[in-house]
């Protein structure tokens, strides 16, 4: 009996050890950004970076996304969960968030000995998708982007006055589409989609605030929601798809328009993972 228990005990030990390797993050202690890195076994793991939205904190480090995180790590990716505001050591508001600071945190993760620093992909939701697109359009070593209900332009920061950009780059705030007079009644009603639609009628501001997604040097997946109650995400994804057609090099690009509201695309992660496996393979 004891001879039977020994291999069973050893097998359970291996399972528990493997689980702890998958779930225990490495805190990279990056200035201004909470950076939690998850790595599996093996070397040269491509880096996936998760960026949450306007809820703040570090959404990708939460228990809600644990199974998805662990699946991606088991698939051979290293996963970096980034909190860029309302997390420990980060700004309290989504206001003039520095692209340079976020990118520096990503580069810190690429210096881990098990991470392949030449293969970086970003996955962002909502305002985190905007951040992912802004980063990839400025830093050419980012080779893949998944934008979930993202925008084709920069919008104001989430302050009480809405007079500053959500983002900054090299010390200057990025141009943004302001809250115009037409949007104010909808904001007072809590009708966010109508408010964003009204803001987007300012065509001069839209031109200035456009995210240059055509500069992204890698695969792009745009996931939108056809009945999005927060913003016209399908319309904005179509704008970005038009821009992507202007790229001189042919990188993979795809738009998935999901039936449902703002959160509906989160129920379609198998499609996102398939896109990653095809266009940003771990092995």
């Amino acid at each position: 009996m004891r001879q039977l228990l020994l291999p069973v005990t050893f097998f359970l030990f291996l399972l528990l050890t493997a689980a702890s390797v998958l779930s225990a993050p490495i805190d990279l202690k990056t200035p201004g950004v909470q950076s939690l890195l998850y790595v599996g076994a093996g070397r040269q793991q491509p880096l996936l970076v998760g960026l949450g939205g306007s809820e703040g904190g570090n959404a990708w480090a939460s228990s809600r996304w644990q199974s998805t995180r662990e699946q991606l790590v088991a698939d051979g990716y290293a996963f970096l969960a980034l909190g860029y505001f309302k997390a420990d050591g980060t700004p309290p508001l989504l206001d003039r968030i520095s692209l340079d600071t976020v990118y520096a945190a990503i580069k810190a993760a690429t210096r881990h000995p098990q991470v392949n620093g030449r293969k970086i992909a970003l996955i962002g939701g909502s305002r985190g998708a905007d951040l992912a697109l802004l980063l990839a359009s400025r830093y050419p070593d980012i080779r893949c982007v998944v934008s979930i209900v993202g925008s084709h332009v920069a919008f104001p920061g989430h302050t009480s006055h809405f007079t500053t950009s959500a983002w900054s780059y090299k010390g200057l705030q990025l141009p943004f589409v302001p809250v115009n007079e037409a949007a104010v009644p909808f904001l007072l009603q809590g009708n966010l989609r109508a408010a964003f639609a009204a803001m987007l009628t300012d065509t001069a501001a839209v031109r200035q605030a456009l995210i240059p997604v055509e500069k992204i040097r890698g695969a792009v997946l745009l996931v939108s929601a056809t009945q999005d109650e927060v913003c016209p995400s399908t319309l904005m994804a179509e704008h970005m798809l038009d821009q992507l057609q202007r790229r001189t090099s042919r990188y993979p690009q795809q738009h998935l328009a999901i039936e449902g509201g703002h959160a509906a695309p989160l129920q379609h992660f198998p499609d996102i993972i398939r896109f990653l496996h095809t266009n940003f393979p771990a092995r």
Side-chain angles (χ1 to χ4, degrees), residues 61-80:
S62 69
S63 58
R64 176 184 180 184
W65 291 107
Q66 181 177 348
S67 60
T68 303
R69 250 188 358 249
E70 292 186 348
Q71 178 185 345
L72 291 166
V73 172
D75 288 345
Y77 300 100
F79 194 92
L80 179 64

mmCIF file of all heavy atoms in Angstrom, residues 61-80:
data_model
loop_
_atom_site.group_PDB
_atom_site.id
_atom_site.type_symbol
_atom_site.label_atom_id
_atom_site.label_comp_id
_atom_site.label_asym_id
_atom_site.label_seq_id
_atom_site.Cartn_x
_atom_site.Cartn_y
_atom_site.Cartn_z
ATOM 1 N N ALA A 61 -5.202 40.792 -13.752
ATOM 2 C CA ALA A 61 -4.643 40.057 -12.618
ATOM 3 C C ALA A 61 -5.741 39.520 -11.702
ATOM 4 O O ALA A 61 -5.448 38.836 -10.720
ATOM 5 C CB ALA A 61 -3.701 40.945 -11.821
ATOM 6 N N SER A 62 -7.000 39.811 -12.013
ATOM 7 C CA SER A 62 -8.110 39.428 -11.138
ATOM 8 C C SER A 62 -8.476 37.958 -11.307
ATOM 9 O O SER A 62 -8.115 37.301 -12.297
ATOM 10 C CB SER A 62 -9.334 40.300 -11.442
ATOM 11 O OG SER A 62 -9.853 39.974 -12.727
ATOM 12 N N SER A 63 -9.246 37.460 -10.353
ATOM 13 C CA SER A 63 -9.684 36.058 -10.407
ATOM 14 C C SER A 63 -10.608 35.810 -11.594
ATOM 15 O O SER A 63 -10.687 34.691 -12.105
ATOM 16 C CB SER A 63 -10.391 35.682 -9.107
ATOM 17 O OG SER A 63 -11.497 36.542 -8.869
ATOM 18 N N ARG A 64 -11.295 36.855 -12.058
ATOM 19 C CA ARG A 64 -12.202 36.690 -13.197
ATOM 20 C C ARG A 64 -11.455 36.181 -14.435
ATOM 21 O O ARG A 64 -11.980 35.394 -15.211
ATOM 22 C CB ARG A 64 -12.886 38.024 -13.515
ATOM 23 C CG ARG A 64 -13.778 37.940 -14.744
ATOM 24 C CD ARG A 64 -14.387 39.267 -15.124
ATOM 25 N NE ARG A 64 -15.231 39.128 -16.296
ATOM 26 C CZ ARG A 64 -15.844 40.129 -16.905
ATOM 27 N NH1 ARG A 64 -15.700 41.360 -16.439
ATOM 28 N NH2 ARG A 64 -16.587 39.924 -17.968
ATOM 29 N N TRP A 65 -10.227 36.656 -14.609
ATOM 30 C CA TRP A 65 -9.472 36.302 -15.803
ATOM 31 C C TRP A 65 -8.410 35.237 -15.541
ATOM 32 O O TRP A 65 -7.588 34.969 -16.410
ATOM 33 C CB TRP A 65 -8.817 37.557 -16.400
ATOM 34 C CG TRP A 65 -9.848 38.480 -16.966
ATOM 35 C CD1 TRP A 65 -10.267 39.666 -16.442
ATOM 36 C CD2 TRP A 65 -10.626 38.260 -18.139
ATOM 37 N NE1 TRP A 65 -11.255 40.212 -17.223
ATOM 38 C CE2 TRP A 65 -11.489 39.372 -18.272
ATOM 39 C CE3 TRP A 65 -10.675 37.239 -19.098
ATOM 40 C CZ2 TRP A 65 -12.401 39.478 -19.325
ATOM 41 C CZ3 TRP A 65 -11.579 37.353 -20.145
ATOM 42 C CH2 TRP A 65 -12.430 38.456 -20.249
ATOM 43 N N GLN A 66 -8.460 34.610 -14.378
ATOM 44 C CA GLN A 66 -7.430 33.629 -14.030
ATOM 45 C C GLN A 66 -7.407 32.459 -15.010
ATOM 46 O O GLN A 66 -6.334 32.056 -15.476
ATOM 47 C CB GLN A 66 -7.647 33.112 -12.608
ATOM 48 C CG GLN A 66 -6.589 32.102 -12.184
ATOM 49 C CD GLN A 66 -6.774 31.640 -10.741
ATOM 50 O OE1 GLN A 66 -7.555 32.225 -9.986
ATOM 51 N NE2 GLN A 66 -6.065 30.607 -10.360
ATOM 52 N N SER A 67 -8.578 31.915 -15.335
ATOM 53 C CA SER A 67 -8.583 30.730 -16.207
ATOM 54 C C SER A 67 -8.076 31.081 -17.609
ATOM 55 O O SER A 67 -7.339 30.292 -18.215
ATOM 56 C CB SER A 67 -9.989 30.126 -16.285
ATOM 57 O OG SER A 67 -10.909 31.065 -16.819
ATOM 58 N N THR A 68 -8.426 32.258 -18.119
ATOM 59 C CA THR A 68 -7.939 32.681 -19.437
ATOM 60 C C THR A 68 -6.438 32.901 -19.401
ATOM 61 O O THR A 68 -5.707 32.460 -20.307
ATOM 62 C CB THR A 68 -8.646 33.969 -19.891
ATOM 63 O OG1 THR A 68 -10.057 33.756 -19.893
ATOM 64 C CG2 THR A 68 -8.186 34.395 -21.279
ATOM 65 N N ARG A 69 -5.973 33.587 -18.356
ATOM 66 C CA ARG A 69 -4.536 33.814 -18.167
ATOM 67 C C ARG A 69 -3.783 32.494 -18.163
ATOM 68 O O ARG A 69 -2.784 32.322 -18.854
ATOM 69 C CB ARG A 69 -4.318 34.496 -16.807
ATOM 70 C CG ARG A 69 -3.880 35.908 -16.841
ATOM 71 C CD ARG A 69 -3.511 36.443 -15.472
ATOM 72 N NE ARG A 69 -3.638 35.619 -14.322
ATOM 73 C CZ ARG A 69 -4.528 35.793 -13.360
ATOM 74 N NH1 ARG A 69 -5.418 36.765 -13.426
ATOM 75 N NH2 ARG A 69 -4.547 35.005 -12.311
ATOM 76 N N GLU A 70 -4.264 31.560 -17.352
ATOM 77 C CA GLU A 70 -3.558 30.298 -17.199
ATOM 78 C C GLU A 70 -3.611 29.467 -18.478
ATOM 79 O O GLU A 70 -2.648 28.754 -18.792
ATOM 80 C CB GLU A 70 -4.116 29.537 -16.002
ATOM 81 C CG GLU A 70 -3.787 30.244 -14.683
ATOM 82 C CD GLU A 70 -4.197 29.457 -13.460
ATOM 83 O OE1 GLU A 70 -4.950 28.462 -13.614
ATOM 84 O OE2 GLU A 70 -3.788 29.833 -12.354
ATOM 85 N N GLN A 71 -4.700 29.577 -19.219
ATOM 86 C CA GLN A 71 -4.751 28.874 -20.505
ATOM 87 C C GLN A 71 -3.677 29.424 -21.447
ATOM 88 O O GLN A 71 -2.963 28.664 -22.107
ATOM 89 C CB GLN A 71 -6.121 29.032 -21.167
ATOM 90 C CG GLN A 71 -6.177 28.354 -22.538
ATOM 91 C CD GLN A 71 -7.473 28.592 -23.287
ATOM 92 O OE1 GLN A 71 -8.470 29.032 -22.706
ATOM 93 N NE2 GLN A 71 -7.476 28.321 -24.583
ATOM 94 N N LEU A 72 -3.546 30.747 -21.495
ATOM 95 C CA LEU A 72 -2.562 31.366 -22.387
ATOM 96 C C LEU A 72 -1.137 31.005 -21.969
ATOM 97 O O LEU A 72 -0.278 30.735 -22.817
ATOM 98 C CB LEU A 72 -2.762 32.876 -22.418
ATOM 99 C CG LEU A 72 -4.053 33.337 -23.121
ATOM 100 C CD1 LEU A 72 -4.354 34.790 -22.811
ATOM 101 C CD2 LEU A 72 -3.957 33.104 -24.625
ATOM 102 N N VAL A 73 -0.887 30.973 -20.664
ATOM 103 C CA VAL A 73 0.440 30.574 -20.184
ATOM 104 C C VAL A 73 0.697 29.106 -20.519
ATOM 105 O O VAL A 73 1.784 28.735 -20.959
ATOM 106 C CB VAL A 73 0.578 30.850 -18.670
ATOM 107 C CG1 VAL A 73 1.874 30.248 -18.128
ATOM 108 C CG2 VAL A 73 0.559 32.355 -18.397
ATOM 109 N N ALA A 74 -0.321 28.266 -20.336
ATOM 110 C CA ALA A 74 -0.172 26.848 -20.683
ATOM 111 C C ALA A 74 0.046 26.658 -22.184
ATOM 112 O O ALA A 74 0.713 25.700 -22.606
ATOM 113 C CB ALA A 74 -1.406 26.073 -20.228
ATOM 114 N N ASP A 75 -0.482 27.584 -22.987
ATOM 115 C CA ASP A 75 -0.291 27.529 -24.441
ATOM 116 C C ASP A 75 1.115 27.942 -24.864
ATOM 117 O O ASP A 75 1.467 27.829 -26.045
ATOM 118 C CB ASP A 75 -1.305 28.435 -25.152
ATOM 119 C CG ASP A 75 -2.723 27.879 -25.120
ATOM 120 O OD1 ASP A 75 -2.886 26.685 -24.817
ATOM 121 O OD2 ASP A 75 -3.657 28.645 -25.400
ATOM 122 N N GLY A 76 1.909 28.465 -23.916
ATOM 123 C CA GLY A 76 3.290 28.819 -24.229
ATOM 124 C C GLY A 76 3.612 30.295 -24.219
ATOM 125 O O GLY A 76 4.736 30.697 -24.542
ATOM 126 N N TYR A 77 2.629 31.140 -23.841
ATOM 127 C CA TYR A 77 2.867 32.577 -23.767
ATOM 128 C C TYR A 77 3.253 32.993 -22.344
ATOM 129 O O TYR A 77 2.818 32.369 -21.367
ATOM 130 C CB TYR A 77 1.604 33.348 -24.138
ATOM 131 C CG TYR A 77 1.081 33.100 -25.519
ATOM 132 C CD1 TYR A 77 0.013 32.219 -25.733
ATOM 133 C CD2 TYR A 77 1.627 33.740 -26.627
ATOM 134 C CE1 TYR A 77 -0.486 31.979 -27.004
ATOM 135 C CE2 TYR A 77 1.131 33.510 -27.909
ATOM 136 C CZ TYR A 77 0.076 32.633 -28.090
ATOM 137 O OH TYR A 77 -0.416 32.409 -29.354
ATOM 138 N N ALA A 78 4.053 34.049 -22.231
ATOM 139 C CA ALA A 78 4.172 34.770 -20.961
ATOM 140 C C ALA A 78 3.080 35.828 -20.958
ATOM 141 O O ALA A 78 2.750 36.392 -22.005
ATOM 142 C CB ALA A 78 5.545 35.425 -20.843
ATOM 143 N N PHE A 79 2.497 36.098 -19.792
ATOM 144 C CA PHE A 79 1.389 37.051 -19.728
ATOM 145 C C PHE A 79 1.715 38.164 -18.735
ATOM 146 O O PHE A 79 2.054 37.897 -17.582
ATOM 147 C CB PHE A 79 0.086 36.363 -19.327
ATOM 148 C CG PHE A 79 -1.129 37.221 -19.562
ATOM 149 C CD1 PHE A 79 -1.813 37.137 -20.761
ATOM 150 C CD2 PHE A 79 -1.546 38.143 -18.623
ATOM 151 C CE1 PHE A 79 -2.909 37.952 -21.018
ATOM 152 C CE2 PHE A 79 -2.625 38.968 -18.855
ATOM 153 C CZ PHE A 79 -3.318 38.874 -20.056
ATOM 154 N N LEU A 80 1.592 39.399 -19.197
ATOM 155 C CA LEU A 80 1.851 40.573 -18.362
ATOM 156 C C LEU A 80 0.540 41.305 -18.126
ATOM 157 O O LEU A 80 -0.061 41.844 -19.058
ATOM 158 C CB LEU A 80 2.853 41.501 -19.051
ATOM 159 C CG LEU A 80 3.207 42.802 -18.311
ATOM 160 C CD1 LEU A 80 3.903 42.500 -16.983
ATOM 161 C CD2 LEU A 80 4.070 43.696 -19.187
#
